[in-house]
Every structure is written in structure tokens, then in C-alpha cells.
Amino acid sequence: MSFPYKKALIIGATSGIGKALAIKFVENGTKVVIAGRRKENLDEFAQEYGSEMVDSRVFDVMKLEQQIPSFATEITTAHPDLDFIFVNSGIQRPFDFSKPSSVDLDIFDTELITNYTSAVHLTRAFLPHLQNKFTQTALAYTTSQMALVPMMRCPNYGASKAALHHFILALRTQVVAGPGDVKVLEIYPPAVQTELHDAKHQPDLKDGHLIGMPLGEFVDEVWGRLKGGEEQIAVGSAGKLYNAFEVKRQELYRDMTEMLTGLLKMFLR
């Protein structure tokens, strides 16, 4: 199967998974709009792959009300053929609540907004564009194996990705009843060798960028499964967790949704 989408917006494309997938898209004929905070990285990518295939926008997901609505309008006006939106921005920070005074709540809030709240705002901003198209479209999100099982070292990262995972499950169910043909995709990485674990962000880790699955190996698998039409792509150790219990948990979610939907019909006008 070929990738069914013609133009992708990749938010969080200046490095790591976002950049690597953007390269895959371009090399396989899908035009991209790349967005992120680091202009120099965006410019380098656009220069390498050319303006025919790449547009770029400097964008900070932390600016929720100040920038996201206008960003969505700007992008969809410039690219009315946009049919795939990939929300990939994410940061990971350690917190030790056994030493409460060491916990920087400003950093904690920044991580939560980056990993979860901004994704909700972006969904609300871009969904009308996707719903108004006559062809299949998609919203894709990067969560984590820690959306399924938390890690003691990074309690907020796991919690933020679990929140996004639950949001995605509900969103996928809701958009079926709405206009258009919007697919909701979720990519669950294991630990992957990116700057997420760099000393710049987690200085107590030695050679943190070497932790996990090689980036190229990860992206090759994700790309193949995206082309295969999968909506939930759990890779490596994330796949083992997904198969161990998440399949059953989602069956329970669907059963509960069906039951609650029936009950609500009795009380809603």
C-alpha cells in the first residue's frame, strides 16, 4: 500500500522523530509543512529538500491562545490541500517528589502543556479543516509506551502521555459521528535514540541520546505501518505492553462507551 495522504503538517519537526518522519514523507513523495521553535533547523531542512516539497513555519506550542488559532488559519489558508496533521512536540524531564523542594513546578507545567494541553488546542484548531474535506484525512499523535505504563523517574511525562492517550481514544470515537472522514492515529514509541534524553535536558544522564531503539530503525517501522493503514502503531517494547493488556483495555472502553451511550439517550434531549 502507498501512503494515502498528499500533504502533511508536522509539528515538532526540528529534530528526532518529527524530523526523521518528515524526511520519510518527502523522500516518498508527500509534501510537508514543518513547524517548530528552532528556525535554523527548519531552514536547513527546507534548503536541503527544496521549496517544491517543503514549507516551514516557526511555531511554539506553548503559546496556546496567542498563537495556535492564528497558526491554524495561516497554515490551512496557505495549504488548503493539507490532509495529514502530525502532533509530535514533546519534552521529558525528571522529577523527584521524595525531595519536594527540588521539584520546579514551572518546568512541570511546561512539560504538561507541551505534551498534552497543546495537543488538545491544536486538535480543536485544525479539526474543522479536516472535517470539511471530501477525502480521507488524519490527525496523528506521538504518545509513548509510558502512556501505558509510567516510569518512576519521569512521573509527569508518563502522566501527560497517558492523558493524551485517553484523549485520543475518546476523540477517535467522537469523530466518527462528525462530518468528513477523519482518521485518528497514535504512535507509541519505546525509548528512541533522540535528544529527548540529552544532557541538555536531563544532565544526570550519561550519553542519554544513546538510550533506546535507533531512530532510523524506529522510523522505518512506523513508516511501513502508516502505509499499511494502521491506526495504532506501538513499536518495540511499547508493542509488547500494548499486546499484553491495552487491547483488552480498549475492548472494555468500547463496551463502557456503548453502555453509557445507551444510558445518555434516555436522559439527553
Side-chain angles (χ1 to χ4, degrees):
M1 292 181 64
S2 60
F3 190 62
Y5 306 102
K6 303 305 181 186
K7 183 175 287 186
L9 168 64
I10 303 172
I11 300 168
T14 57
S15 65
I17 291 170
K19 180 180 179 181
L21 273 174
I23 292 171
K24 277 288 183 188
F25 288 173
V26 171
E27 290 181 344
N28 286 274
T30 300
K31 295 181 180 181
V32 298
V33 183
I34 54 173
R37 288 179 298 144
R38 288 173 287 186
K39 184 178 186 301
E40 64 278 9
N41 293 22
L42 298 172
D43 290 346
E44 181 182 359
F45 188 104
Q47 184 174 3
E48 180 174 357
Y49 291 98
S51 59
E52 184 178 337
M53 294 299 293
V54 181
D55 189 10
S56 65
R57 294 289 192 280
V58 177
F59 173 63
D60 184 353
V61 298
M62 287 293 296
K63 297 178 179 178
L64 300 176
E65 296 296 339
Q66 305 98 310
Q67 199 172 114
I68 288 178
S70 59
F71 173 71
T73 299
E74 174 190 347
I75 295 298
T76 55
T77 300
H79 299 279
D81 54 342
L82 184 71
D83 56 0
F84 184 93
I85 296 171
F86 181 31
V87 180
N88 174 69
S89 300
I91 60 174
Q92 184 184 103
R93 304 290 185 264
F95 296 98
D96 185 357
F97 279 84
S98 73
K99 302 170 184 174
S101 62
S102 72
V103 175
D104 187 325
L105 290 176
D106 288 336
I107 295 175
F108 190 97
D109 289 343
T110 295
E111 183 176 47
L112 182 62
I113 292 169
T114 301
N115 295 353
Y116 174 61
T117 311
S118 68
V120 176
H121 282 246
L122 287 162
T123 301
R124 184 178 183 271
F126 279 100
L127 194 51
H129 168 79
L130 298 180
Q131 289 177 319
N132 286 331
K133 295 189 72 65
F134 295 104
T135 57
Q136 180 179 297
T137 60
L139 274 164
Y141 304 83
T142 301
T143 59
S144 169
Q145 66 180 4
M146 282 193 272
L148 307 178
V149 175
M151 183 172 71
M152 181 185 70
R153 170 184 167 82
C154 302
N156 192 41
Y157 184 82
S160 64
K161 292 296 188 177
L164 182 56
H165 172 57
H166 280 227
F167 174 76
I168 291 166
L169 289 179
L171 177 66
R172 184 180 293 119
T173 308
Q174 289 182 358
V175 296
V176 172
D181 181 13
V182 184
K183 303 300 180 186
V184 179
L185 315 181
E186 181 172 3
I187 300 170
Y188 309 75
V192 178
Q193 294 176 7
T194 69
E195 66 176 39
L196 190 74
H197 312 113
D198 272 0
K200 175 183 177 182
H201 307 302
Q202 302 192 55
D204 57 326
L205 291 179
K206 181 181 179 182
D207 296 326
H209 64 286
L210 299 178
I211 293 174
M213 186 177 191
L215 178 59
E217 181 182 334
F218 169 79
V219 168
D220 284 346
E221 179 170 344
V222 170
W223 177 248
R225 293 171 68 179
L226 282 172
K227 290 196 299 180
E230 293 187 41
E231 292 188 352
Q232 301 193 64
I233 302 173
V235 179
S237 54
K240 294 179 181 178
L241 294 173
Y242 182 91
N243 291 325
F245 64 84
E246 181 62 19
V247 172
K248 178 61 178 177
R249 197 171 74 101
Q250 291 192 28
E251 289 177 3
L252 295 172
Y253 162 71
R254 287 190 290 271
D255 290 345
M256 185 179 70
T257 299
E258 185 177 344
M259 178 191 70
L260 291 175
T261 301
L263 288 172
L264 284 171
K265 286 180 179 178
M266 298 170 59
F267 295 100
L268 292 176
R269 295 181 180 179

